[in-house]
């Protein structure tokens, strides 16, 4: 354990007294040590300066803490915007990407995608099981009601049919509200390819259906599903275009339960964009034309640059016109270099704030500018500046500069700057760590800036958002994921948490914990069995082997993993196991037990209550081990109404279980006990029941 040293351990008086005590040894001829002596005045000045230095050296600032945490591999998490989705009715007008919305409290949001004028309309939703069909469209109107889209048993004939009275432009995208099941939570997925079940998507009547993107992971979590019908998709029964979801493999985990389905939800971010830039590869033409299809470009101010060599130069040979589809921009690109790379740069600024986004530079080391962001936080991943930059040939040309956390590791030619969200300032280098700015009017232009309120953007579900363009109001989902910039204390706590847990297997507890954390799975239980090999006749491994018994959080009393589940846990174990140890992931073996009880109890201690009490105790006993008779008696005694327990006898109906003379039952190492037959004998009436 390292102890922190106190560097500020002397007061001013102690420093002066110690220095005066050294004078007879250093200068014996100096005999006047009174305050009027000029030498004593200088000594007191140095003592004051030493005390001030000691104080500053003893301060452990957040800036120093951040650097030490970065050396330990912990980067500070930046602010993140909240995400939500807005529900647009079929007759709502088209919207451009970046269209701004606002809550009643003044929290701004932006659409992340364009909303076309023609959108799909869901007319009917049916659950099909064999010959039976049930309309569930009315259930979707009440978000508190859930239903099983593939019926209760989820057999091969189970399907969900979605009928559309109108198809939209382009690909078909649907939002599914999936209800989380009770029990073990699902671990985050590692990739979009992970699916716990197999669902076939068919646009009935079309030549084929391509599943482009499934954010729900086969209806495991809420999200979007994007489809593309191949060829013509004709109308079928009732004049509707039918989409069929067929459950081909239900998997071993929970049954799918839905509470909502929508074709009119569009994603939005709690973000306010003040500046953004677009780059294009344009041919050399006097009338090259492009459409900037976003709301900021439609309403904002533009600055156009051409790349004539290795750098950008601003041009005035352009004209633009705002349309419903965005901003049509026509540029004379005959002077742009044609080398196969982007040669046109368009900077778009918020028209109301363009004056705040242009700065005059003095060319001084460490130059700093105040942004005046009105209390909001800039998203650093999109923060870009266009600055007048001195090239190697001595010419000054505009160039893009990026935002970094620290200038210390930057070189003298690195075009970088730092951002302080507390002071709302940007700081440039000093010519040694980070390049110097060039002096001039309008030398710094903000080319990319998006602001967020962080955690303040997390709003509850049902909040109405209003479009600033026309005042249209739409409901929204709950906005989640907004986070403020991480503080030094939070980063330090995250480091301590990371140090307290290991991502490699050392002990049996590590194998069990990491198996339960398998990405994308709901693992109800895991048991590590060191030295046990299920493929050996004796069960004793000749090689370093750890067997992991994995149990899914599935439906029913005896869930068993399928091959997909076991393979996922096996991949997880292979990533975290020691090099010289082999890991085998196996399914559990359920052992049915017969219980006989002799007790004295009241009328409320029914056989159902006794069965529930014993079953709960068996579930808590875990995998393998020993079932002690005393624990079984305690579980029965805890049932309400039980006055006295005289005898509890447990018997196994299968092989592999052994019972000792105390009545304890020894289970196989992979076994999970289940209660089968239950016989009770009540001493009050000497009668039994099953």
């Amino acid at each position: 354990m390292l102890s922190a040293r106190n560097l500020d351990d002397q007061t001013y008086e102690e420093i002066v007294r110690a220095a005066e005590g050294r004078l007879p040894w250093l200068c014996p001829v100096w005999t006047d040590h009174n305050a009027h002596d000029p030498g004593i005045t200088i000594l007191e000045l140095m003592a004051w300066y030493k005390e001030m230095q000691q104080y500053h050296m003893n301060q452990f600032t957040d800036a120093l803490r951040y650097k030490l945490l970065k050396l330990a591999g912990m980067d500070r998490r930046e602010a993140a915007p909240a995400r939500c989705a807005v529900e647009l009715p079929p007759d709502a007008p088209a919207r451009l990407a970046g269209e701004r919305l606002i809550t009643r409290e003044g929290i701004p949001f932006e659409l992340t995608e364009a909303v076309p004028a023609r959108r799909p309309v869901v007319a009917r939703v049916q659950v099909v099981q064999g010959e039976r069909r049930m309309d569930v469209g009315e259930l979707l109107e009440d978000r508190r009601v859930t239903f099983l889209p593939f019926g209760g048993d989820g057999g091969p004939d189970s399907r969900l049919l979605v009928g559309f009275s109108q198809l939209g432009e382009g690909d078909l995208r649907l939002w599914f509200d999936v209800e989380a099941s009770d029990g073990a939570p699902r671990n985050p997925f590692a990739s979009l390819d992970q699916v716990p079940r197999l669902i076939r998507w068919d646009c009935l009547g079309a030549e084929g259906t391509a599943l482009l993107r499934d954010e729900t992971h086969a209806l495991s979590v809420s999200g979007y599903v994007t489809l593309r019908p191949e060829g013509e998709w004709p109308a079928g029964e009732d004049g509707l275009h039918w989409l069929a979801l067929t459950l081909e493999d239900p998997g071993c985990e929970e049954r799918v339960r839905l509470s909502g389905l929508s074709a009119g939800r569009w994603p939005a971010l709690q973000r306010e964009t003040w500046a953004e830039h677009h780059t294009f590869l344009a041919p050399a033409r006097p009338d090259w034309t492009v459409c900037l299809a976003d709301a900021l470009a439609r309403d904002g101010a533009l600055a156009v640059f051409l790349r004539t060599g290795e750098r950008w130069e601003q041009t005035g040979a352009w004209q633009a016109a705002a349309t419903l589809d965005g901003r049509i921009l026509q540029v004379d690109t005959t002077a742009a270099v044609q080398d196969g790379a982007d040669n046109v740069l368009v900077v778009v600024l918020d028209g109301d704030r363009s004056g705040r986004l242009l700065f005059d530079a003095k060319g001084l080391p460490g130059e700093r500018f105040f942004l005046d962001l009105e209390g909001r936080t800039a998203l650093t991943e999109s923060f870009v500046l266009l600055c007048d930059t001195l090239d190697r040939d001595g010419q000054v040309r505009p160039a893009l500069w990026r935002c970094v956390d620290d200038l210390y590791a930057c070189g003298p030619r690195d075009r970088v700057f730092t951002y302080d969200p507390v002071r709302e300032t940007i700081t440039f280098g000093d010519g040694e760590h980070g390049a110097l700015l060039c002096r001039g009017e309008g030398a710094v232009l903000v080319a990319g800036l998006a602001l967020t309120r962080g955690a303040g953007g997390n709003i509850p579900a049902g909040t109405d958002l209003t479009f600033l363009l026309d005042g249209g109001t739409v409901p929204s989902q709950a906005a989640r994921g907004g986070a403020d910039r991480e503080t030094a204390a939070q980063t330090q706590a995250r480091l301590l948490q990371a140090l307290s847990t290991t991502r490699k297997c050392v002990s049996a507890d590590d194998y069990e914990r990491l198996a339960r954390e398998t990405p994308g799975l709901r693992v109800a239980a895991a048991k590590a069995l060191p030295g046990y090999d299920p493929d050996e006749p004796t069960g004793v491994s000749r090689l370093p082997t750890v067997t992991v018994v994995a149990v899914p959080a599935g439906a029913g009393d005896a869930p068993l993993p399928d091959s997909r589940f076991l393979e996922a846990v096996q991949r997880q174990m292979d990533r975290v196991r020691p090099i010289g140890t082999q890991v085998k992931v196996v399914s559990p073996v359920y052992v049915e037990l017969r219980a006989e009880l002799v007790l004295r109890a009241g009328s409320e201690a029914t056989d159902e209550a006794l069965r529930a009490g014993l079953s709960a105790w068996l579930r808590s006993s875990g995998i393998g081990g020993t079932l002690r008779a005393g624990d079984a008696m305690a579980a029965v005694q805890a049932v309400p109404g039980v006055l006295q327990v005289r005898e509890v006898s447990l018997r196994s109906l299968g092989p592999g279980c052994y019972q000792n003379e105390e009545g304890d039952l020894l289970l196989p190492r992979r076994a999970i006990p289940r209660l089968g037959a239950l016989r009770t004998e009540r001493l009050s009436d000497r009668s039994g029941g099953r």
Side-chain angles (χ1 to χ4, degrees):
M1 178 68 69
L2 297 178
S3 57
R5 181 179 177 183
N6 182 21
L7 301 178
D8 189 16
D9 57 351
Q10 287 180 301
T11 64
Y12 167 78
E13 291 78 9
E14 291 173 344
I15 297 173
V16 172
R17 193 162 49 249
E20 289 179 347
R22 296 283 295 169
L23 292 180
W25 302 92
L26 298 175
C27 186
V29 298
W30 187 358
T31 59
D32 189 1
H33 299 162
N34 296 310
H36 66 269
D37 189 87
I40 297 299
T41 302
I42 297 176
L43 186 147
E44 291 175 344
L45 177 63
M46 293 299 103
W48 168 79
Y49 188 64
K50 181 176 185 294
E51 182 195 31
M52 183 175 61
Q53 281 188 322
Q54 288 180 171
Y55 171 78
H56 287 289
M57 290 175 61
N58 200 53
Q59 300 304 305
F60 196 78
T61 62
D62 282 347
L64 177 59
R65 185 176 285 108
Y66 285 133
K67 292 182 179 180
L68 295 177
L69 288 169
K70 193 168 185 178
L71 288 176
M74 301 299 292
D75 289 326
R76 175 175 47 177
R77 291 174 178 171
E78 299 294 336
R83 296 177 177 270
C84 71
V86 294
E87 188 79 28
L88 297 180
D91 56 349
R95 304 286 182 180
L96 292 176
E99 201 73 69
R100 292 183 179 176
L101 307 96
I102 195 169
T103 66
R104 185 177 301 177
E105 295 78 17
I107 302 176
F109 283 78
E110 288 181 354
L111 290 178
T112 59
E113 299 178 7
V115 180
R118 183 179 176 86
R119 301 183 292 277
V121 178
V122 177
R124 296 182 67 181
V125 180
Q126 294 180 337
V127 173
V128 180
Q129 197 165 14
E131 299 296 329
R132 297 176 54 193
R133 284 196 178 193
M134 180 179 66
D135 285 313
V136 295
E138 295 181 357
L139 298 179
L140 297 176
E141 298 177 0
D142 188 353
R143 301 295 183 184
R144 298 170 297 178
V145 178
T146 62
F147 69 97
L148 299 173
F150 304 110
D153 55 0
D157 295 332
S158 300
R159 293 196 304 170
L160 178 67
L161 295 179
V162 184
F164 299 90
S165 60
Q166 173 181 295
L167 297 179
E169 303 173 10
D171 300 329
L172 173 64
R173 187 175 63 178
L174 298 175
W175 172 275
F176 290 88
D177 281 316
V178 181
E179 291 298 307
S181 301
D182 297 333
R186 183 175 295 280
N187 296 320
F189 288 93
S191 67
L192 285 176
D193 299 332
Q194 286 185 286
V195 290
R197 64 189 60 84
L198 296 181
I199 298 177
R200 188 176 76 248
W201 305 76
D202 296 312
C203 296
L204 300 182
E207 297 177 3
T209 304
L211 179 61
L212 302 182
R213 184 179 179 87
D214 183 7
E215 299 177 6
T216 68
H217 300 272
L219 301 186
S220 300
V221 294
S222 299
Y224 288 105
V225 175
T226 306
L227 306 165
R228 177 180 296 167
E230 298 177 359
E232 184 181 357
W233 186 6
E237 183 181 350
D238 298 330
L240 303 178
H241 303 268
W242 290 96
L243 171 68
L245 285 67
T246 305
L247 185 63
E248 294 185 329
D249 183 358
C252 62
E253 299 178 57
E254 77 282 327
R255 295 175 181 171
V256 178
R257 186 175 291 274
L258 299 180
S259 62
L261 187 157
S262 174
R265 290 193 183 179
W266 299 87
L269 276 178
Q270 195 284 297
R271 183 182 64 186
E272 189 174 7
T273 304
W274 285 11
E276 62 181 356
H277 64 281
H278 308 271
T279 55
F280 304 95
L281 173 58
R285 294 178 54 182
D287 57 351
W288 177 76
T289 305
V290 67
C291 179
L292 304 177
D294 63 81
L296 183 63
R298 179 194 62 199
D299 305 326
L302 303 182
V304 182
F305 299 83
L306 298 179
R307 189 166 61 84
T308 57
E310 293 298 326
R311 297 294 180 264
W312 299 98
E313 294 184 6
Q314 189 169 5
T315 179
W318 61 271
Q319 55 184 351
T323 66
L324 295 178
D325 297 327
R327 194 82 166 266
I328 304 298
L329 177 66
Q330 189 179 84
V331 186
D332 182 359
T333 58
T334 53
V337 65
Q338 302 294 324
D339 57 0
D342 291 337
N343 52 12
V344 177
L345 170 65
V346 181
V347 178
V348 185
L349 304 176
D350 187 311
D352 297 333
R353 300 177 176 89
S354 58
R356 307 185 193 178
L357 306 178
L358 187 64
F359 303 94
D360 300 333
K362 299 179 180 178
L364 300 177
E367 193 160 359
R368 180 177 299 173
F369 299 104
F370 176 61
L371 292 175
D372 189 15
L373 301 181
E374 303 173 359
R376 300 171 177 86
T377 303
L379 298 173
T380 54
E381 66 271 11
S382 59
F383 200 177
V384 179
L385 301 179
L386 188 66
C387 306
D388 289 346
T389 307
L390 181 64
D391 284 343
R392 295 179 182 272
D393 58 1
Q395 299 295 319
V396 176
R397 302 184 180 92
L400 294 174
W401 292 43
R402 59 187 176 89
C403 182
V404 296
D405 290 335
D406 196 345
L407 294 172
Y408 182 76
C410 300
R413 293 187 179 274
D414 291 338
R415 296 159 182 173
V416 294
F417 63 94
T418 60
Y419 162 64
D420 186 345
V422 177
R423 297 178 176 85
E424 297 185 0
T425 56
I426 52 176
T427 305
F428 293 86
D430 55 3
E432 181 178 359
H433 300 289
L436 281 172
L437 280 176
C438 289
R439 181 178 181 179
E441 295 183 1
V444 178
L445 174 65
V446 178
L449 177 61
L451 310 179
T452 182
R453 300 196 179 207
N458 296 325
I459 61 175
T463 302
D464 289 337
L465 299 180
T466 303
F467 283 100
L468 293 181
L469 181 64
D470 54 16
T473 301
V474 291
S476 74
Q477 286 181 299
R480 298 186 178 93
D484 297 328
R485 197 185 198 200
E486 199 173 40
T487 64
Q490 292 171 335
T491 310
Q492 183 175 347
R494 192 158 51 87
L495 173 62
L496 295 177
Q497 183 180 9
L499 293 176
S500 63
T501 58
T502 177
R503 302 305 303 174
K504 290 293 183 181
C505 294
V506 179
S507 64
D509 290 340
D510 294 332
Y511 284 92
E512 296 173 1
R513 175 177 55 84
L514 293 172
R516 291 193 299 269
E517 295 177 1
T518 302
L521 299 186
R522 296 180 64 231
V523 184
K527 179 72 173 181
L529 305 175
Y532 171 70
D533 190 344
D535 298 329
E536 293 289 341
T538 61
V540 179
S541 174
R542 294 174 295 177
L543 300 174
T545 303
V546 177
T547 297
V548 176
V549 183
V551 184
D557 297 332
L560 287 172
D562 57 8
S563 59
R564 197 163 46 248
F565 186 94
L566 294 176
E567 290 170 0
V569 180
Q570 184 69 59
R571 289 192 298 269
Q572 168 80 346
M573 292 292 96
D574 289 341
R575 285 194 295 265
V576 298
R577 66 175 175 84
I579 296 177
T581 303
Q582 65 174 347
V583 179
K584 295 185 177 182
V585 180
V586 297
S587 61
V589 176
Y590 289 92
V591 175
E592 190 169 303
L593 305 180
R594 175 188 176 92
E596 296 183 358
L597 311 179
V598 180
L599 50 82
R600 190 186 304 275
S603 58
E604 63 270 25
T606 62
D607 285 357
E608 290 76 11
L610 294 172
R611 176 178 290 276
L614 273 177
S615 298
W617 169 67
L618 290 176
R619 285 193 298 269
S620 65
S621 62
I623 304 173
T626 301
L627 299 177
R628 303 191 180 279
D631 295 339
M633 295 185 68
V636 175
Q637 185 68 64
V639 176
V642 175
L643 304 177
Q644 182 186 19
V645 181
R646 295 290 294 273
E647 182 181 348
V648 175
S649 177
L650 297 177
R651 297 287 187 272
S652 172
L653 303 181
C657 296
Y658 303 93
Q659 198 162 25
N660 59 19
E661 57 185 7
E662 286 83 10
D664 301 338
L665 194 63
L666 281 68
L667 300 175
R669 306 186 73 175
R670 297 168 52 183
I672 296 178
R674 293 179 57 203
L675 182 59
L678 173 65
R679 179 180 178 84
T680 60
E681 181 180 350
R682 300 175 184 270
L683 296 179
S684 57
D685 55 7
R686 309 296 295 179
S687 63
R690 289 187 185 276

